[in-house]
């Protein structure tokens, strides 16, 4: 899981979902778990 300033490029990848948990934004990608990230 990476911490990034902007999730815009990651959310455009195939298979990725933007999820809000505990007040933070996460990108969860089941097809390519390398692209999991959190913002803030």
């Amino acid at each position: 899981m990476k911490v990034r300033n902007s999730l815009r490029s990651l959310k455009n990848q195939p298979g990725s979902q933007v999820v809000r948990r505990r007040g933070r934004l996460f990108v969860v990608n089941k097809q390519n778990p390398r692209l999991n990230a959190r913002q803030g």
Side-chain angles (χ1 to χ4, degrees):
M1 171 95 38
K2 291 191 171 65
V3 179
R4 311 238 336 200
N5 287 333
S6 174
L7 300 178
R8 183 175 296 166
S9 60
L10 289 175
K11 75 177 185 195
N12 294 330
Q13 301 292 330
S16 57
Q17 295 176 301
V18 178
V19 185
R20 181 154 215 155
R21 293 180 191 157
R22 290 171 251 118
R24 294 196 164 124
L25 272 176
F26 291 83
V27 169
V28 179
N29 195 327
K30 295 235 168 85
Q31 286 180 15
N32 193 346
R34 221 164 48 85
L35 300 176
N36 288 346
R38 128 174 124 71
Q39 175 174 308

